[in-house]
Amino acid sequence: MKLISSRYLIIHGHFYQPPRENPWIATIEPQESAAPFADWNRRINSECYAPNASSRLLDENALITQLINNYKHLSFNFGPTLFSWLSQADPETYQAIIKADNQAAKTKNGHGPALAQVYNHIIMPLANTRDRLTQIRWGLFDFEHHFGRRPEGLWLAETAVDLETLKMMTEEGLKFTVLSQEQTKAVRPLGSDAGAWKDVSGGKIDPREPYRIFWGKGPKDYLDVFFYDGPVSRAIAFENLLRDGPTLLQRIEQAFGDKKEDDIPRLVNLATDGESYGHHFQFGEMALSWLFETLKTRSKNPDSIQLTNYGHYLSLFPPVQEVRIFENSSWSCCHGVERWRSNCGCNTGGGGNRWNQKWRGPLRKGLNWLRDQLADTFETVGGRYFEDPWRTRDEYIRVITSNYEPNAQSTFLVAQARSPLSGEERTEALSLLEAQLMSLFMFTSCGWFFDEISNLEPVQNLRYALRAIELSQKLTEQNLQTGLNKYLDIIIPNNPDFRTGRDIWRLRVKNGSLNNRLIAAHWIVSNFFNVPQIIDLFSVPRFTNRGLILINGEGLKVTAGLVELTDDRLSRKNSFLCLALYSGGIHLAILTGEYNQPEPPAWLNQSDLRKILGEHLTPATALNIWNRLLQLFPPETSATRFVLEDLLPSCQVKLLAKLAIGVSNELKSQTEDLFHRHQDLLLMNRASSSTPKWEEAFIFRVIGELELQRILKPAHFGRPIDIEALSTLLSRKGLIGQAQDRTCLGEMGQGFLDSASQALTTTMNPRRLLMEIQNFLKIIKQEGFQLDLRQSQNNWYAEARNPIFNQRLNPEEQQLMDALGLILGFNVQAVRAETGL
């Protein structure tokens, strides 16, 4: 390859979020702190991961000229648990990242920009040898599952490292990793005539070249390493260097420094959390896009900066120096790795720096104790089923990446089991493996990084610990809960709401656990009140309706059902008999019990149950009805009673919202009737009053939202909307216009805009749709309303560059397409020039 420059640039983004799924239902529950999004994964995806797949490049008039996939130019790693979530939650962004790696590799001699990561971000030097090996092997397999190639490099959580970890990485076929300058001790030239070691501690190592670390005495006992430029990386992460592209480029230019002798290559390599680009710094992804495009236009200059990635650079310029590092060091703790096991002083400022982190040590020791107990059980009991339990655990990633697909699970068990397993043995074997997954998850680094044990991250780790205990307790004589309590009891939280760690376990960990009886209660409630969103929260288990009836009385409702719960992860099925009684308000009582008979109860039909309950179902007969319901359970089935407060908090919210809708609709109906009877008076009074009373404001808000629903509703069925009526409504400030009145427009208007722009691809009448979207946006802009245009811009840009779509358009439709692009904020002429269309 002919070199046209001696200056190379790598910008690495470490894209990572801890696993956040509830371990009993395998989905992320709503997180209030992420509002207005349901959870933090969705919020950060909207602010960072998705925008970097289609970042805006603006001209001098702030019009969009290109959408750039930054991942093609970045070096990056995605945490495996996050990337698996992204593949389901936002397939478009997920595919854009995969495509970026593939396209970039084609221009870099087969070296893609994506790196693997240790699976769930544990601090490797603090893990035992088995867990380290599994973390590496799972990370590599997961990477290959998504990207279709073997990775060359691996990102270590918090760049925490020791020589044993580097040895394992080499033996698993990896070539390099990335560390911090502060982790270096000394350097010297490679070769048999190597000179004396030069001290580079304190971050004095030159990060403008790769180095080689020897973990053994053999000629191949090494791993190559890049040390990212600390000062510039810190400026990106903490000093607002992303405020604009030119400022970023200027700082990078300075980092290259003077030419080396003989003009040998210089590398500036930067590494930060990928979330810096858009989440931590709004529009940070656009500074990157400007930088990438600017470097592209200058790429043929003699002293240009060439964008590359670690694998590609290493293939061109292998190390000429070897390095020694500080064992058990990391980038984010100046005390080594103490942040994840002691009160070392590293914190994020929680409690105004008045808090201590003495809880970190007992938490680490307690989970280490639990890990060892789980390991003993896995090795002993698992040894009955598997030739090599630990090899089987390493191979279990095949089942996990298949999303527990039954055929993949069966193939795995056939390959790993000593002999064919019975149904009960299969469930027991899979329970052991799932307990090991939970055992790894409970060491996710975020559980120790922050300042208080009652916070979200440590509580999440402890929930994984509880799930591991539940899965293993029946298989061991050791009382796992009692053993862990000894460590929880000596933890003193900073939060005064909790006396010890055991209070946190009781109030924030165990209250999130779910047994099958409670899961069945969620099913019956979902069906009782027709709230399918409750069941949608459950990825595990699957629900199969074996019978369901509903009886309405005078203010009293009763439902009965039989549901089969299928847990694919454990290859287990159980049926549960469910009964519920509702007498209005929040007065809900539920009974569930296991019922594994081949046929449903004989009374599970409308007529028989009606006879059993009696003729009069009223709140006054609720107690008698309840006693009759109790008698319906077979003697061998002990029923468990639940109330509304026992449901998952997120499910309670959805149920209460549904119950409130009835009240709200009745109130709206009465308000609408009142408005129409006194319309002239109310409108005249509203127009003459600069500060209407809250009663009047409420009436007008209700009427405005109802009218808006009528106008936009046809769009959900693919029919035209009445643009003139919408314009009239929005221009009537008395109806829509106050800040609090815009929620309805935001939700419905956003839905219309996104679906309409998406429909451009398939519509048989592009003229109507283009005019409708255009007129809608004009009205919205004219009246000062704000909607998120990102998805619509993405859709327009894709179609504007699509030759097949453009060939379908006649001259008038082409003009409408261009006009829409202008309204969406594009420099249409520049987009057309780029594509040649």
Side-chain angles (χ1 to χ4, degrees), residues 615-687:
E615 294 183 3
H616 302 291
L617 272 68
T618 67
T621 63
L623 181 59
N624 289 335
I625 297 298
W626 183 253
N627 289 331
R628 292 173 191 169
L629 291 176
L630 281 171
Q631 294 170 10
L632 292 176
F633 279 86
E636 67 276 10
T637 302
S638 57
T640 301
R641 182 177 184 271
F642 301 103
V643 295
L644 177 64
E645 290 80 1
D646 293 319
L647 302 179
L648 286 170
S650 53
C651 294
Q652 292 181 42
V653 168
K654 294 183 183 300
L655 176 57
L656 291 171
K658 178 63 182 285
L659 294 175
I661 283 176
V663 178
S664 176
N665 286 341
E666 183 178 352
L667 187 60
K668 284 181 179 180
S669 177
Q670 294 174 357
T671 302
E672 188 174 22
D673 178 64
L674 176 68
F675 176 81
H676 287 307
R677 283 192 285 118
H678 305 285
Q679 180 173 347
D680 293 341
L681 173 62
L682 290 170
L683 286 172
M684 184 175 292
N685 186 57
R686 181 71 181 253

Side-chain angles (χ1 to χ4, degrees), residues 60-270:
E60 63 277 6
N61 297 313
L63 293 175
I64 304 169
T65 59
Q66 289 185 60
L67 300 188
I68 294 179
N69 187 340
N70 283 342
Y71 298 106
K72 289 170 59 176
H73 309 290
L74 282 167
S75 167
F76 63 88
N77 71 281
F78 265 86
T81 55
L82 170 64
F83 209 45
S84 294
W85 172 88
L86 190 66
S87 70
Q88 302 296 317
D90 187 354
E92 185 177 345
T93 296
Y94 168 80
Q95 289 297 337
I97 295 167
I98 301 293
K99 184 177 180 180
D101 179 73
N102 183 266
Q103 290 178 334
K106 291 178 180 177
T107 67
K108 297 292 188 293
N109 297 337
H111 301 281
L115 277 63
Q117 180 198 285
V118 291
Y119 189 73
N120 64 278
H121 213 263
I122 71 171
I123 302 302
M124 294 290 272
L126 295 181
N128 63 27
T129 299
R130 279 194 301 256
D131 284 0
R132 294 192 214 199
L133 191 56
T134 298
Q135 285 284 315
I136 294 171
R137 288 177 174 173
W138 281 16
L140 299 188
F141 187 91
D142 183 87
F143 181 96
E144 191 168 2
H145 168 75
H146 292 292
F147 290 96
R149 65 175 179 85
R150 289 291 287 179
E152 298 179 89
L154 181 80
W155 184 269
L156 296 168
E158 306 291 338
T159 71
V161 70
D162 62 359
L163 292 183
E164 182 185 358
T165 298
L166 297 181
K167 177 178 182 289
M168 290 179 175
M169 291 168 63
T170 306
E171 292 173 342
E172 293 301 313
L174 289 155
K175 296 179 180 179
F176 66 87
T177 191
V178 183
L179 301 177
S180 160
Q181 285 178 269
E182 284 74 17
Q183 294 175 265
T184 58
K185 183 184 293 184
V187 298
R188 69 179 181 183
L190 279 172
S192 57
D193 57 345
W197 288 98
K198 175 184 176 183
D199 177 36
V200 291
S201 59
K204 295 191 294 289
I205 195 169
D206 186 346
R208 296 178 298 168
E209 60 180 288
Y211 296 82
R212 184 156 290 172
I213 300 177
F214 284 91
W215 46 261
K217 296 182 179 180
K220 295 184 179 180
D221 294 347
Y222 67 82
L223 191 81
D224 293 334
V225 61
F226 293 84
F227 297 98
Y228 64 83
D229 187 306
V232 183
S233 297
R234 281 192 295 273
I236 290 174
F238 304 112
E239 299 169 18
N240 203 23
L241 189 55
L242 296 174
R243 61 185 178 272
D244 61 75
T247 302
L248 176 61
L249 178 56
Q250 181 182 23
R251 187 66 183 272
I252 290 170
E253 292 271 12
Q254 294 171 356
F256 279 104
D258 297 330
K259 290 185 178 181
K260 295 186 177 183
E261 58 181 79
D262 298 327
D263 201 21
I264 59 177
R266 290 167 290 164
L267 170 69
V268 168
N269 94 95
L270 312 174

Side-chain angles (χ1 to χ4, degrees), residues 368-485:
N368 280 346
W369 176 86
L370 179 58
R371 174 202 62 200
D372 293 343
Q373 302 306 312
L374 294 168
D376 287 346
T377 302
F378 180 66
E379 202 165 54
T380 302
V381 182
R384 304 173 195 164
Y385 304 128
F386 307 121
E387 292 285 350
D388 182 343
W390 298 111
R391 184 193 67 196
T392 298
R393 185 180 79 164
D394 288 342
E395 291 292 315
Y396 191 53
I397 188 61
R398 297 178 181 274
V399 176
I400 297 170
T401 54
S402 77
N403 199 24
Y404 298 87
E405 197 276 323
N407 288 336
Q409 189 183 72
S410 295
T411 300
F412 164 80
L413 288 174
V414 168
Q416 298 296 325
R418 290 178 178 271
S419 59
L421 301 177
S422 68
E424 185 176 346
E425 290 172 335
R426 183 183 176 110
T427 294
E428 195 167 277
L430 292 171
S431 296
L432 287 167
L433 287 163
E434 277 295 291
Q436 284 301 301
L437 173 64
M438 297 296 110
S439 175
L440 292 167
F441 275 15
M442 70 189 186
F443 287 107
T444 301
S445 68
C446 302
W448 287 267
F449 187 86
F450 300 100
D451 298 346
E452 166 56 11
I453 188 175
S454 63
N455 285 353
L456 179 66
E457 295 82 7
V459 167
Q460 182 73 3
N461 283 21
L462 286 170
R463 285 188 170 187
Y464 291 129
L466 174 57
R467 182 60 177 152
I469 289 172
E470 291 178 351
L471 289 164
S472 300
Q473 187 59 76
K474 291 181 179 179
L475 306 175
T476 177
E477 295 180 0
Q478 176 74 253
N479 190 314
L480 300 176
Q481 180 67 76
T482 300
L484 183 59
N485 283 345

Side-chain angles (χ1 to χ4, degrees), residues 15 53 92 156 205 229 278 305 343 494 527 554 556 620 642 656:
F15 295 94
E92 185 177 345
L156 296 168
I205 195 169
D229 187 306
I305 298 173
N343 184 28
N494 293 292
N527 284 279
E554 298 175 12
L556 192 67
F642 301 103
L656 291 171

Side-chain angles (χ1 to χ4, degrees), residues 67 79 85 150 170 203 285 335 341 354 395 427 436 456 466 508 533 536 587 677 714 726 738 742 785:
L67 300 188
W85 172 88
R150 289 291 287 179
T170 306
E285 81 281 359
H335 312 94
R341 66 177 175 187
R354 296 187 302 275
E395 291 292 315
T427 294
Q436 284 301 301
L456 179 66
L466 174 57
R508 290 201 173 171
Q533 298 90 339
D536 291 343
H587 304 297
R677 283 192 285 118
L726 178 64
Q738 302 300 316
R742 301 188 176 207
F785 289 90

Side-chain angles (χ1 to χ4, degrees), residues 723-779:
I723 292 293
E724 186 176 343
L726 178 64
S727 179
T728 301
L729 175 65
L730 297 185
S731 65
R732 293 172 68 181
K733 302 295 184 182
L735 292 181
I736 299 281
Q738 302 300 316
Q740 67 269 25
D741 296 337
R742 301 188 176 207
T743 304
C744 184
L745 176 65
E747 293 175 352
M748 290 191 294
Q750 191 72 58
F752 161 73
L753 183 59
D754 292 347
S755 61
S757 61
Q758 185 69 42
L760 279 175
T761 309
T762 57
T763 183
M764 300 302 293
N765 188 356
R767 179 180 179 279
R768 178 189 68 78
L769 196 55
L770 286 165
M771 290 184 65
E772 198 167 82
I773 298 171
Q774 188 178 151
N775 290 332
F776 176 80
L777 288 171
K778 284 180 179 178
I779 294 169

